[in-house]
Amino acid sequence: MDSGRLLFSIPVHEQPSVVRDQVENFLKFNSGSIVVLHVSRSFSKLALATSGLMRESEHVLINPVRLDTSAQGLLPVHLSSFSYALTKSAFSHFVIHSSNDMYVRSGLSDHLNGFDAAVRSMPAAGWTHADTALKHKWLQDAMGALGTTFCASTPEGTAYSKGLMTQMADYLQQVNPYEKATLPYPDEESILPMLASAWAKNRTTPITYSEVTMDAKPTPELIEQIRVGCYRPAPRTFYRGTEEQVPYDEVFAVKRVARAYDDPLRVYIRGLTP
């Protein structure tokens, strides 16, 4: 296992200049790591032909499988990217992101060292998508077979050790092949967190500040608190439950940064140094 190298999984679907900007940002703050891009089937062929996004390099992998991401449910995308990267590079942790995340602080690989997972697996009966998810027969059967409860976690900035992710991928691809729900829902927010709640021994929280979780957009002032390591949000409840948990132990990235190259927050982050 390469303890200093992370694998970042990002599904992308628009704006080649923004994708390049995001990749440069991830590698600037996580030197020596790898980004694996899943390019959505909906991404314009003309944009791809003129962007150079389909060319791999030492630190950028392009998943050759292009799935449709127009409907909710990105778990198959991340599984596919993990399986592809597993044949190409060595890494210690698999880190899930969306295409509007950006890093503002270095040191993530050291932070994750010793953790099986960075995930906030919380009981999710009150989750916005719970009613739809709990109609998913594959999920119902898996919970029964594993003896797990229904959990969810904000997906951006969740991370799984290579060993744990391999175990989860084997379960989802070989032991109990995953079947997407007829009614789509964000399965990347529930399936992996559910398995991690059962199998991960040492956990920390997700490492990406999310405006959805915190009900506030990231600002330069917040980013400066994150960069000096003094951002410490108070415990709160999740999914209308009663159990409180600290939202973040440590934060290294932020969401949401608009997918526009000249967006003021994106420009500000682009000027930061590790």
Side-chain angles (χ1 to χ4, degrees):
M1 182 174 70
D2 189 338
S3 60
R5 181 178 254 197
L6 305 175
L7 173 65
F8 299 101
S9 175
I10 314 173
V12 297
H13 58 93
E14 62 178 334
Q15 299 291 346
S17 62
V18 170
V19 176
R20 289 194 296 271
D21 187 52
Q22 184 180 24
V23 170
E24 290 171 1
N25 167 267
F26 276 43
L27 297 180
K28 178 168 75 170
F29 283 92
N30 300 278
S31 178
S33 291
I34 312 155
V35 173
V36 56
L37 298 177
H38 171 274
V39 181
S40 173
R41 193 183 300 166
S42 65
F43 212 125
S44 162
K45 290 184 178 179
L46 177 60
L48 286 174
T50 58
S51 68
L53 277 184
M54 300 303 284
R55 290 194 291 269
E56 291 195 340
S57 65
E58 182 182 357
H59 297 288
V60 180
L61 302 177
I62 310 296
N63 185 345
V65 176
R66 294 184 61 189
L67 302 173
D68 181 9
T69 59
S70 59
Q72 289 181 325
L74 294 177
L75 176 59
V77 166
H78 291 296
L79 282 175
S80 176
S81 289
F82 174 76
S83 296
Y84 176 64
L86 202 59
T87 68
K88 304 283 284 188
S89 299
F91 54 91
S92 66
H93 288 77
F94 181 71
V95 189
I96 290 175
H97 280 285
S98 69
S99 57
N100 53 12
D101 302 343
M102 291 189 81
Y103 275 83
V104 298
R105 180 185 174 196
S106 59
L108 177 59
S109 62
D110 289 338
H111 171 66
L112 291 178
N113 187 30
F115 288 113
D116 299 308
V119 63
R120 190 187 306 107
S121 298
M122 299 293 291
W127 183 37
T128 303
H129 304 280
D131 288 346
T132 301
L134 290 172
K135 294 174 183 175
H136 186 187
K137 186 177 185 306
W138 184 94
L139 176 61
Q140 292 175 339
D141 292 345
M143 287 193 297
L146 295 171
T148 59
T149 56
F150 181 55
C151 295
S153 174
T154 308
E156 294 85 8
T158 53
Y160 305 99
S161 70
K162 183 179 179 180
L164 176 61
M165 189 64 202
T166 300
Q167 180 184 5
M168 294 193 296
D170 182 65
Y171 177 80
L172 294 166
Q173 294 171 329
Q174 304 295 330
V175 177
N176 184 15
Y178 183 66
E179 299 173 3
K180 287 196 72 169
T182 303
L183 297 174
Y185 66 94
D187 52 11
E188 72 278 11
E189 298 189 31
S190 53
I191 306 300
L192 295 181
M194 179 187 75
L195 295 178
S197 71
W199 295 339
K201 296 178 181 178
N202 301 304
R203 281 184 275 168
T204 185
T205 57
I207 56 80
T208 298
Y209 172 95
S210 170
E211 66 175 32
V212 176
T213 298
M214 300 308 298
D215 303 316
K217 294 180 179 180
T219 62
E221 292 76 20
L222 172 73
I223 287 170
E224 289 308 313
Q225 290 184 45
I226 292 170
R227 281 172 59 77
V228 297
C230 67
Y231 177 64
R232 294 291 183 270
R236 57 169 297 172
T237 58
F238 294 86
Y239 309 125
R240 303 191 200 112
T242 58
E243 180 184 348
E244 288 191 342
Q245 187 176 108
V246 174
Y248 303 105
D249 297 324
E250 296 287 348
V251 175
F252 294 85
V254 297
K255 171 188 176 74
R256 162 175 304 133
V257 183
R259 298 184 190 94
Y261 189 78
D262 295 327
D263 172 74
L265 186 61
R266 182 174 291 275
V267 172
Y268 171 78
I269 293 173
R270 194 182 302 137
L272 299 176
T273 56

